[in-house]
């Protein structure tokens, strides 16, 4: 049975409710676009599509940063996730 450990609020049917799935999606997006993205850009993209709510997206980014899976770097004078 799949463990749901993310909030369901603001998520469309078929959206992600497992933090591991959310982190994998964020890594996939960063790998696919091949340019650093602002935290807000990542969260807005996931939230507008109804895949992930704002709080879970931010929590997933925080966890990815803590484990050094992704990095926050200065890009064009602003912090971006790479």
């Amino acid at each position: 049975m799949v463990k749901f450990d993310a909030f369901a609020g603001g998520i469309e049917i078929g959206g992600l409710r497992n933090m591991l799935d959310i982190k994998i999606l964020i890594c996939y997006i960063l790998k696919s676009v091949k340019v650093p993205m602002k935290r807000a850009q990542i969260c807005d993209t996931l939230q507008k599509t109804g895949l992930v709510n704002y709080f879970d997206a931010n929590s997933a980014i925080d966890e990815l940063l803590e484990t050094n899976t992704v990095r926050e770097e200065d890009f064009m004078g602003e912090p971006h996730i790479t």
Side-chain angles (χ1 to χ4, degrees):
M1 178 174 229
V2 176
K3 179 183 171 193
F4 296 125
D5 57 359
F7 294 110
I11 299 174
E12 298 291 328
I13 295 174
L16 303 178
R17 293 180 46 210
N18 180 287
M19 287 301 285
L20 180 59
D21 292 340
I22 296 167
K23 290 187 270 188
I24 290 170
L25 178 59
I26 291 170
C27 290
Y28 175 78
I29 290 169
L30 289 169
K31 181 77 173 170
S32 296
V33 297
K34 299 179 182 169
V35 295
M37 293 179 71
K38 293 181 186 178
R39 178 187 286 256
Q41 289 174 313
I42 297 168
C43 292
D44 288 347
T45 300
L46 297 174
Q47 191 177 4
K48 285 180 183 176
T49 59
L51 285 174
V52 179
N53 74 31
Y54 175 83
F55 301 106
D56 289 330
N58 275 293
S59 292
I61 292 170
D62 288 339
E63 289 179 25
L64 289 169
L65 288 168
E66 287 173 12
T67 60
N68 292 320
T69 305
V70 298
R71 293 175 289 173
E72 192 167 45
E73 297 179 351
D74 188 49
F75 182 72
M76 300 180 78
E78 295 184 35
H80 284 69
I81 309 294
T82 59

